């Protein structure tokens, strides 16, 4: 802002998502939004800017008297900007305020016109950052598992993310102690600029090592905010090919199982384009506590000076370590990779069928849906072949032809992931990054998320033409991918 600050009428926009602006005129106003992660801060900023707002005030979560000042980035460009997306860097001044102050402001807005003045001072600069990256060479081929977490923090940083650094180090230590039993290499990375840029470190890693990752990385375990005090139950978000593995591994590690949930492209999930299946989980709070804390999934202390050792819990952290080790062990040692593409195939077919219902007849998704149905059958056959092969190892077979067969099946399954993950979870595709928290990413096959824009429009109208031109290309991209999936699956199943 100018030194004297920026003044304007205040407009309360709830969570600050696209739907929250439907009946409001934000032009020339400062918007007041909840910190809630639906959508994340950078997407709130992108949406506020698109709606003509001149400033953004974010109200922290937690109890209504929570005095913590929330910090964090509002930058929608994922990773460093390039000449193509520099224009998406935020120009909107944004500040975070304690819930203690935000709730009265929100109430004032309900009573009449409120004017606000915000004063902020921000830097935008290029810096050299040092990002630790370690290799544990242990495996038979070029395949590796990546364990990572972000090492930068706002405020105290005890549970976000020093506790995550501790989990990664401990899992790596255990794997190193059992190096001779591993079938795959382990790589460990500590991301920079997760919180105070946005995902610069993991994006640099993907850009820099793209080919090595594409050819060899068989999984990614990202650890963020484990070991929080009052957390009682482990919840995991995973790529669909890991859902079956999760249901086997979690009961063995923790004695209970929670349903696997969809992994969205948030956090340091910079590997969706390359198509590396990933896991991100943590011990979470009860529903009752989250309700009281207005959705503070990372605690009322999140990204504030109150994130100290006081809010970390050793017993909770031990649970996070147990389950993370179990996932890593399974991925690093199982002769046949624990992938199951049946959930991916079902989601692909169901999502396309859902889109076909809300699009109009001009898009023509029938052939793509037919291909997806075929992939559903083939994914089942791939699972049967992989499971039978794994059984042979479990009943004593080892070495030689067994290993060669496992490597061939593993490699073909790796390629299926490379093809299906970018289609199911990203708009931009294999080489880039979507803007952070982009609303379309809430849906499966997000590149087709706007097919409903065609319905009810005259096919000869300009508006219809503009949408059709965009969506038909996305349809072609998806069709091409599903056809490739069928070829890859056929090679394993036959
Ligand atoms: Zn974090």
């Amino acid at each position: 802002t100018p030194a004297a600050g920026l003044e304007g009428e205040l407009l309360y926009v709830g969570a600050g998502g696209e739907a929250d602006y439907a009946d409001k005129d934000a032009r020339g106003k400062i918007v007041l939004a909840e910190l809630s992660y639906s959508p994340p801060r950078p997407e709130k900023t992108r949406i506020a800017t698109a709606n003509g707002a001149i400033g953004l005030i974010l109200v922290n979560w937690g109890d209504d008297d929570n005095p913590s000042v929330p910090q964090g980035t509002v930058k929608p460009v994922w990773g460093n900007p390039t000449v193509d997306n520099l224009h998406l860097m935020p120009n909107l001044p944004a500040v975070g305020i304690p819930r203690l102050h935000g709730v009265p402001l929100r109430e004032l807005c309900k009573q009449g016109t409120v004017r606000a003045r915000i004063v902020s001072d921000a830097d935008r600069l290029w810096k050299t950052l040092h990002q630790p990256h370690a290799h544990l060479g242990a495996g038979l081929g070029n395949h590796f598992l990546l364990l990572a977490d972000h090492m930068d923090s706002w405020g105290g940083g005890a549970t976000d993310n020093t506790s995550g650094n501790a989990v990664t180090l401990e899992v790596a230590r255990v794997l190193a102690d059992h190096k001779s039993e591993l079938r795959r290499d382990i790589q460990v990375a500590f991301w920079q600029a997760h919180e105070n840029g946005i995902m610069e470190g993991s994006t640099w890693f993907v850009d820099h090592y793209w080919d090595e990752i594409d050819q060899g990385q068989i999984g990614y375990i990202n650890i963020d905010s484990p070991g929080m005090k009052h957390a009682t139950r482990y919840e995991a978000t995973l790529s669909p090919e890991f859902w079956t593995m999760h249901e086997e591994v979690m009961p063995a590690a923790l004695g209970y199982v929670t349903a696997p949930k969809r992994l969205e492209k948030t956090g340091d999930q910079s590997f969706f384009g390359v198509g590396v299946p990933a896991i991100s989980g943590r011990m979470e709070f009860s529903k009752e506590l989250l309700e009281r804390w207005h959705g503070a999934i990372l605690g009322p202390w999140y990204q504030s000076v109150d994130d100290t050792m006081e809010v970390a819990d050793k017993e909770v952290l031990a649970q996070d370590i147990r389950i993370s080790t179990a996932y890593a062990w399974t991925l690093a040692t199982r002769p046949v990779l624990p992938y199951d593409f049946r959930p991916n195939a079902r989601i692909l077919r169901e999502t396309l069928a859902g889109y076909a219902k809300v699009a109009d007849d001009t898009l023509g998704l029938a052939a793509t849906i037919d291909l997806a149905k075929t992939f559903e059958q083939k994914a089942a056959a791939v699972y049967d072949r992989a499971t039978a092969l794994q059984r042979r190892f479990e009943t004593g077979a080892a070495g030689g032809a067994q290993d060669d067969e496992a490597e061939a099946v593993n490699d073909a399954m790796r390629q299926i992931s490379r093809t299906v993950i970018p289609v199911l979870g990203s708009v931009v595709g294999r080489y880039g990054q979507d803007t952070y928290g982009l609303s379309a990413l809430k849906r499966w096959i997000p590149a087709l998320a706007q097919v409903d824009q065609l319905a009810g429009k005259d096919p000869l109208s300009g508006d219809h033409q503009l949408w059709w031109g965009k969506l038909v290309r996305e349809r072609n991209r998806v069709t091409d991918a599903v056809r490739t999936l069928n070829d890859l699956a056929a090679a394993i199943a036959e």
Side-chain angles (χ1 to χ4, degrees):
T1 62
L6 172 84
E7 203 178 308
E9 187 183 329
L10 197 61
L11 176 70
Y12 179 69
V13 292
E18 271 166 353
D20 295 308
Y21 287 83
D23 53 351
K24 297 181 183 76
D25 183 2
R27 284 172 301 174
K29 294 176 186 162
I30 294 172
V31 292
L32 180 70
E34 306 281 342
L35 180 74
S36 81
Y37 263 58
S38 46
R41 275 177 269 113
E43 177 72 346
K44 290 185 208 292
T45 311
R46 191 189 65 80
I47 294 169
T49 308
N51 280 279
I54 56 166
L56 170 65
I57 301 178
L58 290 168
V59 179
N60 203 5
W61 55 22
D63 286 319
D64 279 347
D65 60 355
N66 181 15
S68 291
V69 180
Q71 304 175 43
T73 182
V74 290
K75 171 177 154 290
V77 175
W78 188 305
N80 280 332
T82 71
V83 287
D84 291 329
N85 59 21
L86 186 66
H87 65 282
L88 291 172
M89 292 293 283
N91 284 313
L92 189 76
V95 296
I97 61 171
R99 190 159 188 87
L100 177 69
H101 299 151
V103 170
L105 262 184
R106 182 191 72 198
E107 294 309 307
L108 276 175
C109 286
K110 287 181 189 160
Q111 291 166 26
T113 303
V114 178
R115 291 192 69 77
R117 186 157 59 91
I118 60 180
V119 184
S120 74
D121 182 16
D123 279 333
R124 181 179 294 173
L125 68 165
W126 295 92
K127 271 194 169 183
T128 300
L129 302 175
H130 298 278
Q131 182 162 277
H133 175 200
H135 294 244
L136 178 65
L140 306 172
N142 66 337
H143 285 177
F144 68 94
L145 168 69
L146 176 69
L147 305 171
D149 59 64
H150 70 85
M151 65 181 288
D152 65 315
S153 287
W154 289 99
T159 65
D160 188 11
N161 193 23
T162 309
S163 58
N165 308 149
V167 171
T168 304
L169 286 170
E170 177 62 3
V171 177
R173 186 191 66 78
V174 171
L175 293 174
D177 274 357
H178 294 267
K179 192 174 161 180
S180 64
E181 295 164 67
L182 307 181
R183 291 182 76 96
R184 293 169 194 106
D185 288 358
I186 308 295
Q187 293 196 21
V188 181
F190 297 88
W191 307 133
Q192 285 282 21
H194 161 97
E195 305 284 17
N196 44 35
I198 203 154
M199 317 308 150
E200 270 73 9
S202 55
T203 302
W204 177 88
F205 188 92
V206 168
D207 289 338
H208 193 76
Y209 296 111
W210 198 94
D211 194 52
E212 188 181 334
I213 293 167
D214 181 47
Q215 294 300 304
Q217 191 175 337
I218 55 92
Y220 168 39
I221 301 178
N222 185 45
I223 312 280
D224 198 345
S225 303
M228 294 185 293
K229 196 173 181 170
H230 308 305
T232 47
R233 199 175 155 79
Y234 184 82
E235 301 277 356
T237 58
L238 315 93
S239 303
E241 49 268 65
F242 283 156
W243 289 358
T244 302
M245 186 234 352
H246 163 83
E247 285 181 327
E248 282 171 40
V249 165
M250 187 172 161
L254 297 182
Y256 65 97
V257 66
T258 50
K261 290 193 245 175
R262 180 186 174 198
L263 176 76
E264 285 180 33
K265 193 178 186 317
T266 59
D268 271 300
Q269 296 302 334
S270 304
F271 298 75
F272 268 54
V274 195
V276 177
I279 302 170
S280 181
R282 72 170 70 86
M283 291 290 291
E284 294 195 350
F285 305 118
S286 68
K287 263 200 192 98
E288 295 72 33
L289 197 51
L290 282 177
E291 226 157 84
R292 201 189 105 190
W293 283 347
H294 303 97
I297 47 172
L298 297 166
W301 51 79
Y302 171 63
Q303 296 198 352
S304 78
V305 294
D306 300 319
D307 185 7
T308 64
M309 286 301 282
E310 295 298 302
V311 298
D313 187 308
K314 234 162 61 171
E315 299 306 318
V316 175
L317 192 71
Q319 303 297 302
D320 280 298
I321 290 173
R322 281 185 82 85
I323 180 79
S324 301
T325 308
Y327 289 139
W329 183 256
T330 306
L331 286 166
T333 61
R334 199 175 283 194
V336 180
L337 286 167
Y339 293 160
D340 177 359
F341 295 102
R342 293 174 302 174
N344 309 65
R346 176 179 51 77
I347 292 163
L348 204 54
R349 194 245 318 144
E350 285 176 359
T351 307
L352 286 168
Y355 285 156
K357 270 191 203 138
V358 297
D360 69 3
D361 295 338
T362 63
L363 192 61
L365 285 168
T368 321
I369 293 171
D370 281 346
L371 285 167
K373 284 180 185 162
T374 306
F375 180 56
E376 214 169 355
Q377 293 162 4
K378 291 201 155 88
V382 167
Y383 181 71
D384 290 345
R385 165 103 193 269
T387 309
L389 185 55
Q390 174 61 24
R391 290 272 143 73
R392 296 220 299 273
F393 279 96
E394 284 163 12
T395 52
Q402 290 290 326
D403 282 344
D404 292 345
E405 191 179 343
E407 282 313 294
V409 168
N410 288 342
D411 210 53
M413 290 198 295
R414 170 187 65 79
Q415 291 178 62
I416 292 178
S417 277
R418 299 300 185 258
T419 310
V420 75
I421 290 173
V423 166
L424 282 182
S426 86
V427 174
V428 75
R430 293 207 75 200
Y431 312 101
Q433 301 289 350
D434 296 294
T435 56
Y436 194 86
L438 181 69
S439 299
L441 299 178
K442 285 267 163 210
R443 315 273 302 270
W444 295 105
I445 319 181
L448 287 173
Q450 289 164 299
V451 286
D452 58 340
Q453 292 289 340
L454 295 172
K457 286 180 180 141
D458 175 359
L460 294 177
S461 67
D463 203 14
H464 190 281
Q465 294 286 344
L466 290 171
W467 279 107
W468 188 87
K470 171 188 168 67
L471 291 165
V472 75
R473 290 175 190 173
E474 298 301 346
R475 179 206 68 185
N476 294 342
R477 180 158 76 94
V478 175
T479 308
D480 188 29
V482 185
R483 199 175 283 286
T484 303
L485 288 172
N486 279 322
D487 293 345
L488 291 166
I492 303 179
E494 278 152 17

